Structures are given as structure tokens and as C-alpha cells.
Amino acid sequence: MSEKSSSSGSDEDVEPESRQPVEFGGVLSKWTNYIHGWQDRWVVLKNNTLSYYKSEDEREYGCRGSLCLSKAVITPHEFDECRFDISVNDSVWYLRAEDPEHRLQWIESIEMHKKGHRLCEKLAEMETFRDILCRQVDTLQRYFDSCADAVSKDVFQRDKVEDDEDEFPTNTRPDGECNHNNNSSKEKLFPPSSPKGINGIDFKGEAITFKATTAGILSTLSHCIELMVKREDSWQKKLDKELEKRRRVEDAYKCAVNELKTKSHYGGPDYEEGPNSLINEEEFFDAVEAELDRQDKIEEQSQSEKVRISRPPSVTPGDVYSTISTHRLANKPHSHSSSLSSVELVSASEDLHRFSTEVEEMVQNHMTYSLQDVGGDANWQLVIEEGEMKVYRREVEENGIVLDPLKATHSVKGVTGHEVCHYFWDTDVRMDWETTIENFNVVETLSDNATIVYQTHKRVWPASQRDVLYLSAMRKIIATNENDPDTWLVCNFSVDHNDTPPTNRCVRAKINVAMICQTLVSPPEGDKEISRDNILCKITYVANVNPGGWAPASVLRAVAKREYPKFLKRFTSYVQEKTAGKTILF
């Protein structure tokens, strides 16, 4: 997942004149759905709007979606330090940056766009209100001027009437309210008035005072706006410092949490595998079971429609795997003993490579511990029994991750331990019987009997997809006690390889698996040759798997209980089918 950003402007991401946030763009991973998961998208932040495109080259075709940031809520994810969510009402975008630094850069840019847009809106509103107030002041001023002119004219008329009375006196009634002119009409007599006008108000003076007062208010308001604009940079610097402090505290907290509990968080975003998944255990199990049923149905349809092409057997008696003469098996009596007083590793000297020591140690451990009886203090619990097959497990958890060792025993007629181990080890036929693998490849061939294999398993939603890198080696171990059968063994255990490092797309699981087989032969009647009816393969299969990430313990144990018996049945039936009618490979 890549992440790159581009923007123009100053370090503050704000142009000093217009105070408008500049355009900001880059690649972010956006959660699409549970089928396609995270997909890289070109995201653009401009004009208080967040838009995304399939890629930068496809911007000319229009955006695929956009969000107005005015009421957006930005939420950094609590555990995933690269992820942040943006929600507007019911619409939510789940986004992931390349690293925590880029996530912080995106969050700060979005917040600055929101703040800068709000400030511009408020400044525009204040400009509008100021224009309206100025127009109102002008209107009031014209009104006051008109009132003052009317009062002046009224005073002039009264003065003229008084002058006329001095020249032509008339009879005045005692009440002094009115007199009669020569036309016998009444005329209102205006009492003497001061130059200030009606009720003693100096309209012109008051108008001048009002205008001066409003001008002062407007001047002060403009000054406040200028101060706000000037102080914005100072406030932004303080905010940046606080954000940096908060980031350091969050980083320290996450480091402390990781030291206490190391867990992998993949996929997502909220209903996927993880201890903080919003899906409960019952729903998690139902989803996993439904997906497994779907995969089983697809596999059944594929098998029914596929016409199997018979291959010539890739292993024949006397090939590189059968390095020891096995005629002595035909003369051995039927024995159920599985204990080995001593063992001898065959062809170990011919199988030298840089992992030889680890392989031999792993083989010795499996021969020493894996074949031990399940009783006693081992605490093995029988979880399933179907005919000759029994499956045991011990419940083990570490840091909340289920690490249950599993052991299964089985008896299969008509096949030998060499044949079972060969088909289990041979990568050429792996996809014929293994239905859980999506793809695999041989990373390195160490010797004729040892390879390093990388394989990815089919995803079972809501669990994350798993991959595994392991060394697979096959050995034949000869028992020194003639009453004990020889043993064929395949051990698969995780290793590291420079050509196949872990990726973010899969959770890297760790395995230590062994298929241990012993062939028991019952003497044929008379002088008849040994046939497949006379042979029985005793299988002990052990598996220690670290899933590499968290999932509900009940779900993992239920899936193991369901899948391991199916695997053993499917694989042993495949071996019986491939060996039927062919020469016995001891």
C-alpha cells in the first residue's frame, strides 16, 4: 500500500491573502467491501470537499464519491495506527494511510480545511452584515436629514406667522388657542419653539452622533477581524504543538499496549478478525461455518464435474525415496506395537543442507514425543471418534491466541506408510487432495527429500487470509527391534526465507506438523504373495499451529474439530484411490 501526497502553498497549507486551504491529494487505501477489502484510491481534498478517484490518471473521468467536510467527524482508529474514519451522518469512509505520519498529515489537513472554510464563511458573513449596516445607516441618515429639514421649514413658517401678527393684530380669545381671520376660518396657533425642533430634539445633531457611533462600531469590528486573522497563525502553531504532544502520548500508549499484548490486526475494518471486532463470537462462528460450507459445496461440484486424468505413479519401488530394502517387512509378524526402543535415521548423510540440523532435531522430537501415549499427564482430550480415527487436543492459549496442539490417530487398509508419506510430501499432487489452499509454490529445493514451500490458504471471512512458509522433509526410520515396524515420517515446520517475507495482505501462520506412518503386514495364506489386503497403515498426525492473529477461541476450536477429521478422511481416501491396483511401495 503506497501513500503519497501533493499540495501547493506555504508550510501552513493556507494562502496568506485569501486564507483558503490549498488542494491536497494522495493515495489512500479505502475499504470497499468484505469481498474486495482495501483498495488503493486517489483522494483529493479541495474546497472543503473530500473526493476519491480510482487512480490519479482517471481524475478526468470524474470522482467516484465525495464528502462535504462541514459536518464531518474524523475518528482516528483506536488500534490501527494507520487508519482513520470519516463520517457524515450515515455515510462512513474507512481510510488507511501508509504509516502513522501520513495519517496525521491527512487528519491535520482535513481539520485545517474545515477550520479555514468556517473562518472564510464567517468573514464573508461579517462583510455582508457590514454592508447591510452601512446601507441602513445611510438610510437613517437621509431620514434624519429629511426630519431636520422639515423642522427647519416649520420653524420658518411659525416665524412668518408671528411677524404677520405683529403687523396685523387680531382679537385673541382668553384661552389663546385660536383666532379668526377675515374669512372666519380657524387657524392653529403654533406656540413659540426653540431652534432644536419638536420636543427639544436636535435631529441633525443626533443623526451626526449616530453615524459617528456606528462608524466607531464598524471600525472596532473591522479591527477585531484583522486581529483574528493575524492571530490565526499563532493559534495554529499552538494547535500543532498540542497535536504533536497528543501524538507522542498516543504512540507511547500503543507501544506499552504492544509490549503487553502483541496481536495482529488485519483486514477489516470493524467486523473482521481481531479482539476489538464488533462481531460477537456466535456471529463470527456462523460466518466462518457458512463460508466453509460454501467452499465445501464448490469443491464437491468441482470434483463431480472434473474428469480425473490418470497419472503414471510418480514414485516406484526403488526410487530415491525408498533407499532401504524393504523385503524384511514381508517377513515381519503382525504387530500393534508402536514403541521404538531405538531408531536409526536413514539417508540423513545423503540429505545435507543448511537446515539439516533443524530437520534432524525436529524428526527426533516427533519420534520421541509425538508417538507417546495420549494418557497420563499429557492432558489430551478426546474430541472426536469416528471408526478407527480418533482426534485429541490440549487446550493452550498464549497472549489470548489459541495454540491448541492436536493429535489424530487413524488406520487405513491397503496402503503403506511410504505411500501415505509420499503423497503427503509430494508437491506435484498437493492440489489434487488439499482443498484449503489457494495457491502455493516451491521456494527452494534443498535436497531430494527436503523443500521449502510457500502457500496461501483460501480466506474464510471474517477471518483474515493466512499464508505459511515451511520446510517439508521426508524420512524413513528403521527400528532396531525386529518386532517393531519401520517408520516413515514427513515433518513440516515454519522457517524464514529472504525470497518470501511476510506481507500485509496475509497473516503469517506458524506450523509444526508431522505425518508419522507405520506399515503392519499380516502374513498371507500359504505361498501367496503379499497383497494390499494384507497391509495396514497406522497413522499418527500431529499439528501445532500458531494462527498468527486473534480469533475467538471457541471458533478456532470448533473449526479444528470440524476440519481435521475431514482432512484425514479426504487425504487417506485419495491415497487409496491412487494406489489401487498398483505395485505396493514399501
Side-chain angles (χ1 to χ4, degrees), residues 326-517:
T326 56
H327 67 278
R328 60 198 289 265
L329 287 173
N331 300 321
K332 284 188 178 181
H334 190 148
S335 172
H336 294 279
S337 173
S338 61
S339 62
L340 298 177
S341 57
S342 61
V343 298
E344 177 184 353
L345 300 184
V346 178
S347 299
S349 60
E350 301 175 3
D351 195 27
L352 297 177
H353 47 78
R354 66 180 186 279
F355 289 100
S356 296
T357 303
E358 289 89 335
V359 171
E360 304 314 321
E361 289 179 356
M362 200 65 66
V363 170
Q364 289 284 8
N365 288 335
H366 282 301
M367 293 302 300
T368 302
Y369 300 108
S370 298
L371 293 178
Q372 288 181 351
D373 187 64
V374 294
D377 298 331
N379 294 323
W380 289 102
Q381 302 175 9
L382 179 64
V383 294
I384 190 168
E385 182 175 6
E386 296 182 5
E388 294 292 330
M389 182 174 57
K390 296 180 180 180
V391 180
Y392 304 86
R393 74 158 176 250
R394 288 190 292 113
E395 294 188 357
V396 177
E397 291 189 25
E398 182 177 331
N399 293 328
I401 300 177
V402 175
L403 304 176
D404 293 356
L406 181 138
K407 176 184 288 189
T409 60
H410 194 23
S411 297
V412 183
K413 294 182 179 180
V415 295
T416 66
H418 189 180
E419 291 170 335
V420 172
C421 286
H422 164 67
Y423 284 106
F424 185 71
W425 180 85
D426 189 4
T427 55
D428 291 339
V429 298
R430 179 70 50 82
M431 299 301 289
D432 291 346
W433 57 267
E434 178 59 273
T435 61
T436 65
I437 294 178
E438 184 173 87
N439 55 66
F440 81 98
N441 65 283
V442 177
V443 178
E444 182 180 354
T445 300
L446 300 174
S447 69
D448 291 339
N449 296 342
T451 59
I452 295 179
V453 179
Y454 171 76
Q455 64 189 33
T456 58
H457 291 264
K458 296 177 182 178
R459 186 184 180 193
V460 181
W461 190 88
S464 301
Q465 189 172 22
R466 256 67 180 181
D467 65 359
V468 61
L469 178 68
Y470 62 92
L471 188 153
S472 182
M474 182 167 66
R475 290 285 183 274
K476 179 182 179 181
I477 303 168
I478 297 178
T480 57
N481 188 341
E482 292 185 357
N483 293 325
D484 294 330
D486 293 342
T487 301
W488 282 91
L489 179 146
V490 175
C491 60
N492 299 336
F493 59 94
S494 292
V495 294
D496 295 325
H497 199 283
N498 293 333
D499 293 343
T500 315
T503 66
N504 290 332
R505 303 192 67 86
C506 293
V507 178
R508 178 63 56 88
K510 301 292 184 180
I511 66 169
N512 183 5
V513 174
M515 178 75 74
I516 307 171
C517 302

Side-chain angles (χ1 to χ4, degrees), residues 105-269:
Q105 184 180 6
W106 271 98
I107 292 176
E108 290 179 349
S109 298
I110 293 173
E111 292 290 354
M112 184 169 291
H113 263 255
K114 291 176 61 181
K115 184 185 68 173
H117 186 75
R118 287 196 296 266
L119 180 59
C120 292
E121 285 182 343
K122 294 302 179 183
L123 290 174
E125 290 177 4
M126 297 177 77
E127 291 286 346
T128 302
F129 287 137
R130 185 175 66 179
D131 293 340
I132 295 173
L133 184 58
C134 288
R135 289 196 297 271
Q136 290 176 338
V137 169
D138 291 340
T139 300
L140 289 172
Q141 185 64 48
R142 288 194 299 271
Y143 174 75
F144 290 147
D145 290 343
S146 299
C147 291
D149 292 340
V151 170
S152 298
K153 291 179 180 179
D154 194 24
V155 171
F156 175 75
Q157 291 294 335
R158 286 198 299 270
D159 291 342
K160 185 177 181 181
V161 171
E162 290 177 356
D163 293 340
D164 291 341
E165 288 178 350
D166 292 340
E167 293 179 8
F168 307 100
T170 57
N171 296 327
T172 303
R173 295 188 177 183
D175 54 13
E177 292 180 357
C178 61
N179 64 353
H180 296 275
N181 57 18
N182 296 331
N183 298 326
S184 300
S185 62
K186 291 185 177 181
E187 186 177 271
K188 183 71 177 178
L189 295 179
F190 295 93
S193 177
S194 66
K196 292 184 178 181
I198 300 174
N199 297 326
I201 298 176
D202 185 359
F203 286 103
K204 198 168 187 73
E206 291 293 336
I208 294 173
T209 303
F210 178 79
K211 184 174 183 179
T213 302
T214 53
I217 294 174
L218 294 174
S219 176
T220 303
L221 184 58
S222 299
H223 183 62
C224 290
I225 294 174
E226 292 176 0
L227 288 178
M228 289 175 60
V229 173
K230 291 180 180 179
R231 289 294 300 273
E232 182 185 1
D233 292 340
S234 175
W235 293 337
Q236 181 61 43
K237 291 179 181 178
K238 292 181 180 180
L239 176 61
D240 291 341
K241 290 181 181 179
E242 292 299 324
L243 289 174
E244 180 63 22
K245 290 180 181 178
R246 178 176 177 179
R247 187 185 67 82
R248 288 197 296 266
V249 172
E250 289 178 346
D251 290 343
Y253 169 76
K254 289 173 183 176
C255 290
V257 171
N258 290 335
E259 290 177 357
L260 294 175
K261 196 173 187 180
T262 305
K263 295 179 180 179
S264 299
H265 302 281
Y266 295 91

Side-chain angles (χ1 to χ4, degrees), residues 43-45 48-51 65-67 69 86 93 95 106 110:
V43 182
V44 175
L45 180 59
N48 200 42
T49 300
L50 192 67
S51 308
S66 61
L67 286 177
L69 299 176
I86 301 178
W93 285 11
L95 303 172
W106 271 98
I110 293 173

